[in-house]
Amino acid sequence: MMKNILALLSKKPSKGLLVLKCDCLSLRATVIKGQADKLNVLASVMSWETDPVVALTDVITQLKNQLGPSLPSEAILMHINAIPNLVEITENTNSATPTNLAEMMRWEMDGVVADLSPVWDLGWILLGRGYLTQEQRDRLLELAMQEKALSSRHTGGKALRVGELAVRERMATQEQVKDCLQLQEKLQLPDQSLITQWRPVPKMPSEFSTDDTFDATQHYICSAMPIAQHLQWINAFNKVSGNKGLPKLKLKQVYPIAGSTLTLPEIHDEVLMVTEFHPAYALCALLENGVIQDIVTLKASSYPLEIDLVVQTLQSGRFADAERWLIANVDGQTLSFFDELEGRINLRAEYLPKASRLSLDVPATVKNNVLAELGAASHFFGRGPLLVSPLGGTPPPEPFYRRQGVRVAASIALVPMIIGGFEVLNQWEISSLRNELIEKEKTLSGMGDQREISQSDIDKMNQNIELYKGLEQELAGLQYQKQLVQQVMLKRQNFVEKILPTLSHSINDGVILDSMVETDWYHFTLTGRSIDQSSIDDFYRVLSINLQPLQMTIVDNPSRLDQGNVTQAGIYAFEFTLRQQVMQ
């Protein structure tokens, strides 16, 4: 007993949490350790690589050099394109199915993400890569507007673009502009399908609530992110984890950058206004007794954030009722900006981490750069309220019996069992006939000693011998068929093992498969539904490419808008016919 207690007391402490913050132009990695009511930053490193696999490998290698091999196994990611929002659903969500609610959230967040996603213009990328200062970027935008005005007056002239202006003004080199142009091209996502996650906003505590009237509107804190970028990072973790001496990592959750510091304030008995200023957007949130009442996000990637717009937001709606104002992040803003803001909204600013509910042990060199990471870590460790809605990370592995390899192995093992059963049955029939022939031969032999064998008995014996020979030939034929069946079944199993993942990798978020029927050998019919025709076209294009290595092609792909069915009005139905390619 004493040994067990000592073993528990001597248990190694947690290695902490790896918090990654990605703005698509760089990656910051911070190791944070949580102890009681204290968060301790052990190390923080940067990588200017933009490919997720390369950047992740770079920061882990740097952390390994600083902290040694004892690195965290759990990680969370904060991504600039994970957008938070307060969503109001006026329909009766109590009777809504999870599927309907998911569709409502996607529709609500689709426009929000389109409006708030960073604009990857060249000036902002040059600023984000560290090639320009904020003042130089503002000057470039002014020059670009002047160039457009001049070109409109003189139709023969052509306005210089931002990159050309940066080189002309000697603010950046030709190589730096080229680097940013290549990066700009990579950041354009052709597929903007979203992954969403949400949770209901908790109601006001009864001791603070003054309104007992029924409100049919349900409020949700929702986060959304392009599926392509979400999968990009999940695949990066799968490739890097445990590769070439690197530690095994598990991506647990994906957080928005904006709104993550809302878990840090200790003020829960007043109307608190929290503002975060990030390079791509500013977030203004109103908390009353620890419950979110309003969120407004202001885009700041295409043009510098205007103070008039911030003042207008903080003086409108429920924000005008704020009793205290907390600044949780100051990226990209000067002290003069906040001094002017204080005078215009008549509230004095308080800064994190002074107003934090946790004790924060942060190196002075990174204190102002990791507040968002500390907020996300606080939420992940369970030390902060649920004021954000993180997206899922790497999904858990499938149960053993559902894994594809296990199912394939079971199917392959079943084939020889079936063939073996037929073979045993035929062997038993032949053995029975053989024993019967032996008994008849003994009987005939005994009868020959007593009397002369009749011609009819001889004919019957010859018939039995011929029957025995025929069964032996049939057994040989069955063994040959067994070999053929084994070859065909193995070939078919290999084909099915390849076509199922092909379908899985080809389908997009807007398409649902209803059935897959094999009407003939290597002839399949796929039926399904979609929310729009473009999703069907995208599925057809990707599937056609992925089927080529299997020598399969889509020979027919009709689709229609189902207006007749009341329950599915406005839903597109489609039917694809898949066949083997005809060899020329």
Side-chain angles (χ1 to χ4, degrees), residues 229-524:
Q229 288 182 324
H230 189 263
L231 289 177
Q232 194 178 42
W233 276 96
I234 289 178
N235 293 333
F237 267 82
N238 290 333
K239 289 181 180 179
V240 173
S241 178
N243 184 35
K244 296 181 180 179
L246 298 177
K248 291 185 177 180
L249 292 172
K250 184 73 172 179
L251 178 60
K252 304 297 288 186
Q253 290 176 323
V254 180
Y255 285 79
I257 294 178
S260 57
T261 62
L262 299 182
T263 61
L264 294 176
E266 64 180 359
I267 305 164
H268 294 293
D269 57 351
E270 297 179 84
V271 181
L272 175 66
M273 182 169 63
V274 182
T275 55
E276 297 178 358
F277 295 90
H278 301 280
Y281 33 67
L283 179 131
C284 307
L286 189 74
L287 306 179
E288 184 175 0
N289 300 304
V291 177
I292 287 183
Q293 299 299 314
D294 201 357
I295 288 181
V296 174
T297 307
L298 306 174
K299 193 171 184 177
S301 57
S302 54
Y303 294 97
L305 187 66
E306 295 182 359
I307 194 169
D308 291 340
L309 183 60
V310 179
V311 172
Q312 180 182 353
T313 301
L314 298 182
Q315 290 182 336
S316 62
R318 299 205 58 182
F319 286 97
D321 300 330
E323 300 170 1
R324 297 179 68 175
W325 174 32
L326 178 64
I327 298 178
N329 215 76
V330 295
D331 286 348
Q333 301 300 331
T334 61
L335 292 178
S336 60
F337 179 92
F338 296 112
D339 290 340
E340 183 178 352
L341 202 56
E342 277 186 342
R344 295 180 64 174
I345 67 174
N346 295 321
L347 279 177
R348 185 177 179 181
E350 302 174 56
Y351 292 86
L352 276 177
K354 291 182 179 180
S356 172
R357 62 184 297 273
L358 297 172
S359 174
L360 305 178
D361 184 4
V362 185
T365 54
V366 296
K367 180 173 291 187
N368 294 328
N369 298 323
V370 296
L371 290 178
E373 288 93 321
L374 289 167
S378 174
H379 175 269
F380 183 81
F381 288 141
R383 296 179 174 85
L386 291 173
L387 299 181
V388 291
S389 183
L391 302 165
T394 305
E398 290 186 337
F400 176 77
Y401 59 88
R402 293 183 60 185
R403 294 179 186 173
Q404 184 178 1
V406 175
R407 287 183 292 181
V408 171
S411 301
I412 294 175
L414 188 61
V415 172
M417 289 174 63
I418 296 173
I419 297 174
F422 281 109
E423 188 177 51
V424 169
L425 178 61
N426 281 278
Q427 290 282 8
W428 177 80
E429 290 180 351
I430 292 173
S431 179
S432 299
L433 287 171
R434 184 184 291 113
N435 292 333
E436 184 179 352
L437 283 172
I438 293 173
E439 291 298 325
K440 288 184 177 294
E441 287 177 353
K442 288 181 180 179
T443 303
L444 289 173
S445 179
M447 291 175 61
D449 294 338
Q450 299 175 5
R451 63 180 177 82
E452 185 179 355
I453 299 176
S454 64
Q455 185 63 40
S456 61
D457 291 333
I458 295 174
D459 293 341
K460 189 178 293 186
M461 181 179 65
N462 290 332
Q463 290 176 2
N464 288 332
I465 293 173
E466 291 298 325
L467 178 62
Y468 174 72
K469 292 181 179 179
L471 287 172
E472 280 189 330
Q473 292 178 354
E474 186 177 349
L475 175 61
L478 282 172
Q479 291 175 337
Y480 178 70
Q481 291 179 15
K482 168 188 172 182
Q483 296 177 353
L484 290 179
V485 169
Q486 284 179 325
Q487 295 175 1
V488 172
M489 292 298 289
L490 288 175
K491 183 178 179 181
R492 291 276 299 153
Q493 191 61 51
N494 290 333
F495 175 77
V496 172
E497 183 181 352
K498 294 177 181 178
I499 195 172
L500 292 179
T502 299
L503 291 175
S504 176
H505 294 156
S506 302
I507 199 167
N508 57 63
D509 191 52
V511 170
I512 298 175
L513 285 183
D514 289 332
S515 66
M516 174 180 174
V517 180
E518 186 174 14
T519 56
D520 200 353
W521 284 78
Y522 300 101
H523 185 179
F524 297 90

Side-chain angles (χ1 to χ4, degrees), residues 17-87:
L17 177 70
L18 175 62
V19 184
L20 303 168
K21 184 165 67 175
C22 175
D23 62 1
C24 292
L25 306 176
S26 62
L27 179 67
R28 176 180 289 277
T30 306
V31 177
I32 301 175
K33 196 171 184 179
Q35 299 175 347
D37 291 331
K38 181 177 182 180
L39 292 179
N40 183 21
V41 175
L42 302 182
S44 185
V45 298
M46 284 282 296
S47 175
W48 292 98
E49 300 290 345
T50 56
D51 180 83
V53 175
V54 180
L56 187 57
T57 303
D58 185 15
V59 294
I60 293 176
T61 303
Q62 292 184 54
L63 290 172
K64 190 176 179 182
N65 292 334
Q66 287 190 24
L67 303 177
S70 182
L71 293 180
S73 59
E74 293 183 332
I76 60 175
L77 171 67
M78 309 178 68
H79 202 283
I80 196 171
N81 277 343
I83 308 296
N85 195 42
L86 187 66
V87 177

